[in-house]
Amino acid sequence: MEKAARPIGIFDSGIGGLTVLKEIVDTLPIEGTIYLGDTARVPYGTRSAETVTRYSFENTRFLFSKKIKMLVVACNTVSSVSLEAIRQSVDIPVIGVIEPGARAAVSATRTGRIGVIGTSATIRSGAYATAIRALSPPVEVFGLPCPLFVPLVEEGWTEGPVVEMTAERYLAEMKTRGIDTLVLGCTHYPLLKGVLSKVMGESVRLIDSAIETAREMRAVLGDLSLLRSAPGAVRREFYVTDSPEKFLDVGERFLGRTIEHIEKIILESEV
Ligand code: DGL
């Protein structure tokens, strides 16, 4: 198959990466996509870097075997701790969500004070702070893990008093930092935008890495002459490692479209 006609592979620890897929579909509607959600092993955000990297290699190998032309690591946790290792393991472009999010945050801030929220693993890795400082050394970065946001979103709770109270409690300290930009450094957080913006106030700009990642993909595919040009049927496949029912239910709401081809798979482990 001609290289440009091949699909793009996307993986996440579970369902959250669909926020990235949605932006990819909106930005590059004629590109085929193969999405893998490791739903049997989610969450990654509470695990060690070593475990996250092992899972990531298994996900990468599965998608690579599908003859993809580009790999998108939609998961912030994986992008934070394993991106370089993944890049070295394959000979196709690999895009993570940290650098695009960091770039958008740096161009958005006026005060030079940026907050980053994410899973415990993402914040512990310091990946956003490193990427932001590499772009603009004087910027001050304040990281904060918000682990309860993931299960709330997984449950479909994206608004209402429980979510608001949780956000108020987590972000109380962040509100004292004088930030003007807050990076939503986790796949699930864009679904909480309404609540987060209410809690942080209108003066704080929320950065959604998913939008920036889709823009970067388009640029990279264009530079490499890998954008699909032929119209026609678009391949859209979904794979999960646990039963597909919940993924289908929540996923179709996330995406705002029907998921047709979905399959449960068993990933091959390295050992
Ligand atoms: N996909 C993860 C992330 O963006 C959130 C869910 C998890 O902890 O696996 O960090």
Side-chain angles (χ1 to χ4, degrees):
M1 190 197 289
E2 191 208 336
K3 209 164 179 197
R6 292 182 184 179
I8 295 163
I10 300 129
F11 81 79
D12 179 45
S13 52
I15 211 158
L18 292 179
T19 55
V20 179
L21 179 72
K22 187 170 188 305
E23 293 303 332
I24 296 174
V25 172
D26 287 350
T27 310
L28 299 161
I30 67 164
E31 297 291 342
T33 54
I34 302 184
Y35 182 96
L36 167 62
D38 191 7
T39 48
R41 301 189 290 196
V42 69
Y44 284 10
T46 49
R47 298 183 197 274
S48 68
E50 190 195 347
T51 302
V52 171
T53 303
R54 180 159 50 84
Y55 292 173
S56 304
F57 278 153
E58 292 168 14
N59 298 338
T60 300
R61 271 202 306 275
F62 172 77
L63 287 171
F64 197 64
S65 74
K66 297 268 170 200
K67 306 254 179 300
I68 53 173
K69 63 179 171 185
M70 169 183 266
L71 177 66
V72 181
V73 177
C75 180
N76 286 256
T77 301
V78 175
S79 298
S80 296
V81 303
S82 322
L83 195 68
E84 271 325 301
I86 296 171
R87 277 195 175 131
Q88 280 165 26
S89 73
V90 287
D91 60 359
I92 51 171
V94 178
I95 303 233
V97 286
I98 307 294
E99 281 162 35
R103 241 192 326 273
V106 167
S107 63
T109 186
R110 295 291 164 262
T111 60
R113 297 172 75 82
I114 298 176
V116 179
I117 52 175
T119 65
S120 303
T122 296
I123 299 304
R124 198 172 51 230
S125 77
Y128 270 108
T130 306
I132 289 170
R133 289 204 198 98
L135 294 164
S136 179
V139 168
E140 279 198 82
V141 185
F142 305 94
L144 179 75
C146 303
L148 287 176
F149 285 163
V150 167
L152 284 171
V153 173
E154 293 272 333
E155 215 35 58
W157 291 21
T158 52
E159 51 187 20
V162 174
V163 185
E164 278 179 34
M165 272 169 62
T166 312
E168 286 282 3
R169 174 92 187 258
Y170 272 140
L171 296 171
E173 197 194 321
M174 189 62 94
K175 282 164 79 175
T176 67
R177 302 286 192 186
I179 59 162
D180 69 344
T181 304
L182 180 67
V183 179
L184 310 182
C186 173
T187 46
H188 292 56
Y189 299 180
L191 290 143
L192 299 174
K193 257 186 200 163
V195 169
L196 296 174
S197 119
K198 186 168 164 195
V199 170
M200 291 308 293
E202 275 177 12
S203 59
V204 175
R205 178 108 179 256
L206 303 182
I207 301 294
D208 178 347
S209 298
I211 297 174
E212 305 307 324
T213 303
R215 284 195 193 130
E216 168 144 343
M217 286 174 59
R218 184 171 53 195
V220 172
L221 287 172
D223 287 349
L224 297 171
S225 304
L226 284 178
L227 283 166
R228 182 175 179 226
S229 52
V234 178
R235 187 170 163 196
R236 237 174 261 303
E237 295 169 16
F238 295 84
Y239 296 89
V240 285
T241 51
D242 202 353
S243 64
E245 285 76 30
K246 187 160 185 223
F247 185 94
L248 270 175
D249 178 34
V250 185
E252 289 187 341
R253 266 191 290 136
F254 263 38
L255 279 179
R257 63 175 72 217
T258 348
I259 292 175
E260 269 149 28
H261 178 124
I262 185 160
E263 226 178 278
K264 181 186 168 210
I265 52 147
I266 294 173
L267 289 168
E268 240 174 76
S269 70
E270 264 173 293
V271 283

